[in-house]
Amino acid sequence: MGLTAGIVGLPNVGKSTLFNAITKSKVLAANYPFATIDPNIGVVEVPDKRIDALVKMYNPKKTIYTTFEFTDVAGLVKGASKGEGLGNQFLSHIRSCDAICQVVRCFEDSNVIHVEGTIDPLRDIETIKIELILSDIDSIEKRIPKIRKRAELKTDKDAVYEYEILQRINVGLLASTPIRSQELSEDERKFIRNFSFLTAKPMLYVCNVSDDELVDYSQNDFVKKVEALAILEGAKCCVISAKIEQELSELEDDDKAMFLEELGVKESGLVDLINKSYDMLGLQTFLTAGEKEVRAWTFKKGMKAPECAGIIHSDFEKGFIRAETIYFDDLIFAGSEAKAKELGKFRLEGKDYIAKDGDVFHFRFNL
């Protein structure tokens, strides 16, 4: 269960530079619109110090981190939903993503052109919002005629239910309210999931600042405006310097740590981006450890032990007996599984156990 996120934004805001950095790829990052026509897809390992600690303890033959898949699409412009700049084609690339990371330019640089001529992150965010909304309205208007007659005649309960939800959602969209901000029940949100509406996806605003502003970005007025908007919308916001992230991607781990220390920054902006993406999607991590393999697994918050076992293999869930469980912090404190058992930190959890972030599992099953 890897996380997938679409990276969007206007041209020349730092999308492709950020993509290069986080995936260590070398995609075209040119100083003109539509430098990226085809979507670039990259998979990055999610940094996890817990995995590193377990590797030292077990010395496994194999180590597997959980992954984060990014899709970088071309810069959107006004009219994208109607096909301007091949916009519709670009928007289709992010329909299958779990979340949207919108890169917002929060730096001045006369050498890097802006399609609007001036720097205004709130205007840029509004431009993207309108295009995503128009794209969703277009999807609804194509679907409504196909179910209208059955819904109005009330001969099909499913059609009546769908028609009512789509009509209500459309009213909100026409009032410029993204679907994620509309009042819908959990069942209604599950029902519309197959439509892959763009504005229903969680949004993370990624403020791209200059390298010399990263340490004290709290003084950046552009960032302040985006953070205030994120709070108002209930969205997430993180601050990065795409330029610094690209430089970090070219360094070894030891040099990376030294570089961050010299900058006065605690960690890479990528770590914050991933953590906030996980949080807004309700994702957590459980771990499995042994001499053969140490591995991180992504699961949805609230999942029970058998469901987590099923992430590893469907047979594990079908034949689930119990989950031998040690919380990561307890295991590290004890220094070994044997010692953790001595200290009473080893637990046997059943089918109703709700998994927690940082649980180290050994699943027992019988087919």
Side-chain angles (χ1 to χ4, degrees):
M1 185 191 285
L3 173 66
T4 61
I7 302 178
V8 303
L10 296 181
N12 303 333
V13 297
K15 292 186 298 79
S16 294
T17 301
L18 178 62
F19 180 84
N20 282 340
I22 59 184
T23 63
K24 297 183 180 178
S25 303
K26 297 295 178 186
V27 300
L28 181 61
N31 185 23
Y32 52 89
F34 312 120
T36 318
I37 295 178
D38 294 321
N40 295 293
I41 298 176
V43 178
V44 60
E45 289 184 339
V46 176
D48 195 328
K49 292 179 180 178
R50 295 172 298 188
I51 289 292
D52 300 334
L54 291 176
V55 166
K56 289 180 181 178
M57 181 179 293
Y58 289 90
N59 192 27
K61 295 177 181 177
K62 190 188 295 185
T63 303
I64 303 176
Y65 294 81
T66 189
T67 57
F68 194 147
E69 181 180 294
F70 289 94
T71 299
D72 173 37
V73 300
L76 298 174
V77 294
K78 287 180 181 177
S81 60
K82 301 299 182 185
E84 290 294 325
L86 301 179
N88 249 337
Q89 177 186 330
F90 300 153
L91 288 171
S92 68
H93 297 317
I94 57 175
R95 290 201 177 276
S96 60
C97 293
D98 299 313
I100 297 176
C101 295
Q102 183 176 164
V103 182
V104 185
R105 181 168 165 178
C106 294
F107 66 90
E108 299 272 9
D109 188 340
S110 59
N111 294 317
V112 181
I113 62 172
H114 189 289
V115 289
E116 297 290 345
T118 57
I119 309 301
D120 184 344
L122 296 189
R123 176 202 58 207
D124 296 351
I125 287 172
E126 185 68 15
T127 296
I128 298 294
K129 184 178 88 168
I130 289 171
E131 295 309 320
L132 299 183
I133 283 175
L134 290 174
S135 180
D136 283 348
I137 289 173
D138 183 58
S139 296
I140 290 174
E141 290 181 347
K142 286 178 179 176
R143 176 62 181 166
I144 287 290
K146 296 177 182 179
I147 60 170
R148 179 180 284 120
K149 184 169 288 186
R150 284 179 291 143
E152 290 177 345
L153 292 174
K154 302 189 185 305
T155 56
D156 185 332
K157 288 183 178 179
D158 291 338
V160 172
Y161 184 66
E162 180 182 345
Y163 185 76
E164 189 276 328
I165 292 174
L166 293 183
Q167 288 280 58
R168 183 152 40 92
I169 286 173
N170 207 35
V171 170
L173 290 170
L174 290 168
S176 297
T177 304
I179 294 171
R180 64 178 171 274
S181 300
Q182 295 186 27
E183 291 186 12
L184 296 171
S185 69
E186 189 59 34
D187 287 340
E188 288 172 335
R189 291 195 182 278
K190 286 180 181 177
F191 182 81
I192 65 171
R193 199 166 290 160
N194 289 335
F195 288 93
S196 297
F197 289 125
L198 297 176
T199 67
K201 300 181 187 298
M203 177 72 76
L204 172 66
Y205 295 122
V206 184
C207 298
N208 185 16
V209 300
S210 61
D211 52 354
D212 59 350
E213 287 186 301
L214 183 61
V215 177
D216 191 16
Y217 62 78
S218 61
Q219 301 304 310
N220 184 309
D221 289 336
F222 296 138
V223 171
K224 289 178 184 177
K225 291 178 180 179
V226 177
E227 288 179 331
L229 178 65
I231 292 171
L232 189 65
E233 293 183 349
K236 295 284 185 182
C237 179
C238 71
V239 180
I240 57 105
S241 167
K243 183 180 177 182
I244 286 177
E245 293 300 325
Q246 189 161 32
E247 290 178 21
L248 282 168
S249 70
E250 297 168 358
L251 299 174
E252 297 297 328
D253 288 344
D254 290 343
D255 293 333
K256 199 176 290 186
M258 191 181 301
F259 182 52
L260 287 171
E261 187 176 343
E262 289 175 358
L263 285 172
V265 179
K266 291 182 178 179
E267 60 185 9
S268 162
L270 171 60
V271 175
D272 188 39
L273 187 156
I274 291 174
N275 287 340
K276 285 179 177 172
S277 296
Y278 265 64
D279 184 48
M280 71 182 184
L281 288 170
L283 298 179
Q284 296 181 324
T285 303
F286 73 83
L287 311 156
T288 54
E291 293 180 359
K292 289 184 178 180
E293 178 184 277
V294 166
R295 182 164 183 167
W297 304 85
T298 302
F299 70 99
K300 280 275 190 183
K301 187 177 181 180
M303 274 188 170
K304 294 182 178 180
E307 294 175 287
C308 290
I311 292 172
I312 298 176
H313 197 289
S314 58
D315 286 347
F316 286 23
E317 182 173 6
K318 291 175 185 175
F320 179 89
I321 299 174
R322 64 180 180 272
E324 298 176 357
T325 312
I326 308 173
Y327 188 60
F328 171 79
D329 288 345
D330 292 334
L331 178 56
I332 295 303
F333 178 80
S336 69
E337 284 189 26
K339 188 64 176 176
K341 290 178 181 179
E342 280 183 35
L343 296 172
K345 299 300 183 181
F346 182 86
R347 313 189 311 275
L348 296 178
E349 302 291 0
K351 293 182 178 181
D352 292 329
Y353 176 69
I354 297 175
K356 296 180 178 59
D357 186 64
D359 276 339
V360 182
F361 285 132
H362 289 295
F363 293 111
R364 298 300 180 192
F365 68 101
N366 184 23
L367 291 178

